[in-house]
Amino acid sequence: MDWRLEGSTQKVESPVLQGEEGILEETGEDGLPEGFQLLQIDAEGECQEGETLATGSTAWCSKNVQRKQRHWEKIVAAKKSKRKQEKERRKANRAENPGVCPQHSKRFLRALTKEKLLEAKHSGPRLCIDLSMTHHMSKKELSRLAGQIRRLYGSNKKADRPFWICLTGFTIDSPLYEECVRMNDGFSSYLLDIKEEDCFSLFPLETLVYLTPDSEHALEDVDLNKVYILGGLVDESIQKKVTFQKAWEYSVKTARLPIQEYMVRNQNGKNYHSEILAINQVFDILSTYLETRNWPEALKKGVTSGKGYILRNSVE
């Protein structure tokens, strides 16, 4: 049989279509010629398996695919149109307000935050969170401490002049670490140091200042050559002088926030007054003072009204 595949201009007939005269005229139950039925079966093989109509008959998958494709094209077109409109809006805003800085993208802001934190590691103020006393804490207290660490880190990221934070006496197999991972998204990628050793063995003792409300000495300034320590302790039983005693054992200098110097007790219904603050509140005070060099403004940032203290000038 001569198929004339090469150098022929005659039309090649498929073996499926050859045979007795009248084959092309026969139709199936659905009213389509059998040749088209074969093409339909081939097209079905390229579609997702199991796509059938509710009646159980074979679906036209090609139509289904086309419908999905059209739907996807509409979504893409809508996104492009939205981006174009947003671009034109920003362009118009820049034309109307030439002196206003353009809004930065989230990617740019993340990169800027990362750069500031890494710079603080080499030349910025340093802050240690002493987590060596957490083994006696309950699960509820650990959860509260994990939340304070999250808020402290969030405030540090937003600061114009961030601290470099070091979590000391902290192991990755501890209940507190598990709680931090559970409560804080992305905790394992936080830009800070995690050390199993305690702060007294990581830094020269003469550079350390342990911040504790039981100290007799008020903090006068934030020295960039010092390493400030906050006790990572949430104790609902309010044990006295735990952090002060630990600093005394290592002959480390202590200091308290100057709450007594710039604030006075405010009368309240519960007659409650406390200088014990969460670690994130202490950090907010230190961070604000580092930027403003103003203790009243810094204390106002971290000492809430619930502690029973107000600024002296508020009374006068």
Side-chain angles (χ1 to χ4, degrees):
M1 182 180 295
D2 185 10
W3 292 97
R4 298 183 183 179
L5 294 177
E6 298 178 0
S8 174
T9 59
Q10 295 184 4
K11 183 178 179 181
V12 179
E13 296 180 353
S14 171
V16 178
L17 300 179
Q18 291 180 345
E20 298 181 359
E21 189 173 300
I23 283 183
L24 295 177
E25 305 300 325
E26 295 180 1
T27 59
E29 295 179 357
D30 55 359
L32 293 173
E34 292 182 357
F36 286 99
Q37 292 178 0
L38 292 174
L39 293 175
Q40 178 185 348
I41 294 173
D42 291 338
E44 291 173 353
E46 298 176 0
C47 299
Q48 297 180 355
E49 297 181 359
E51 289 187 359
T52 57
L53 296 174
T55 58
S57 60
T58 304
W60 279 91
C61 293
S62 59
K63 291 184 178 180
N64 206 18
V65 170
Q66 291 174 4
R67 178 181 58 80
K68 292 180 179 179
Q69 181 66 23
R70 288 194 299 269
H71 178 68
W72 174 249
E73 289 174 353
K74 288 181 180 179
I75 294 177
V76 172
K79 288 183 177 180
K80 288 183 178 179
S81 176
K82 185 176 180 180
R83 285 196 296 266
K84 184 178 180 181
Q85 293 175 2
E86 182 65 19
K87 186 176 180 181
E88 293 176 351
R89 185 186 65 81
R90 291 196 298 265
K91 185 177 180 180
N93 287 340
R94 286 195 297 268
E96 295 176 1
N97 306 289
V100 179
C101 296
Q103 185 177 3
H104 297 297
S105 65
K106 291 183 179 179
R107 180 181 299 179
F108 175 83
L109 294 176
R110 284 195 297 266
L112 182 62
T113 299
K114 182 178 180 179
E115 181 181 350
K116 290 194 301 182
L117 290 175
L118 293 178
E119 183 181 352
K121 183 176 183 179
H122 302 288
S123 59
R126 288 170 292 177
L127 182 73
C128 281
I129 311 298
D130 182 8
L131 300 175
S132 62
M133 300 171 286
T134 59
H135 50 281
H136 294 306
M137 293 167 56
S138 66
K139 182 174 177 58
K140 179 181 177 181
E141 292 169 341
L142 291 175
S143 297
R144 290 178 57 188
L145 181 56
Q148 293 177 16
I149 293 174
R150 181 187 69 245
R151 289 188 287 273
L152 186 153
Y153 183 74
S155 296
N156 195 44
K157 286 172 58 179
K158 297 176 183 177
D160 293 334
R161 193 175 185 183
F163 283 72
W164 180 251
I165 299 172
C166 184
L167 306 180
T168 62
F170 195 31
T171 58
I172 60 175
D173 59 349
S174 64
L176 177 60
Y177 186 88
E178 296 177 357
E179 197 67 13
C180 287
V181 172
R182 184 185 69 84
M183 294 185 60
N184 308 336
D185 293 337
F187 176 77
S188 57
S189 60
Y190 276 11
L191 290 177
L192 46 73
D193 282 334
I194 295 178
K195 301 292 184 180
E196 294 185 7
E197 300 86 354
D198 61 29
C199 52
F200 305 106
S201 60
L202 289 172
F203 304 98
L205 296 180
E206 62 271 14
T207 65
L208 299 179
V209 179
Y210 211 120
L211 298 179
T212 169
D214 300 309
S215 177
E216 297 178 356
H217 309 286
L219 183 65
E220 297 179 359
D221 196 8
V222 175
D223 189 348
L224 298 183
N225 296 319
K226 299 292 185 180
V227 180
Y228 295 93
I229 306 171
L230 301 181
L233 180 64
V234 176
D235 185 10
E236 294 184 348
S237 62
I238 314 295
Q239 299 182 27
K240 295 290 186 179
K241 297 188 176 182
V242 176
T243 54
F244 179 81
Q245 183 67 26
K246 190 171 184 180
W248 181 81
E249 292 176 359
Y250 287 90
S251 301
V252 168
K253 183 186 294 186
T254 62
R256 58 174 172 79
L257 295 174
I259 296 177
Q260 300 173 12
E261 285 70 21
Y262 293 95
M263 307 186 80
V264 295
R265 293 188 174 188
N266 185 32
Q267 297 296 328
N268 54 62
K270 297 182 180 180
N271 196 28
Y272 174 78
H273 306 88
S274 175
E275 297 182 32
I276 301 176
L277 306 177
I279 59 172
N280 59 292
Q281 293 174 322
V282 177
F283 174 80
D284 288 341
I285 294 173
L286 294 176
S287 179
T288 304
Y289 176 78
L290 189 63
E291 295 178 4
T292 63
R293 296 293 175 177
N294 185 305
W295 277 119
E297 185 174 344
L299 292 169
K300 185 178 179 181
K301 179 78 173 181
V303 181
T304 61
S305 59
K307 294 296 180 179
Y309 283 88
I310 58 174
L311 293 173
R312 290 184 181 275
N313 56 12
S314 300
V315 178
E316 298 173 359

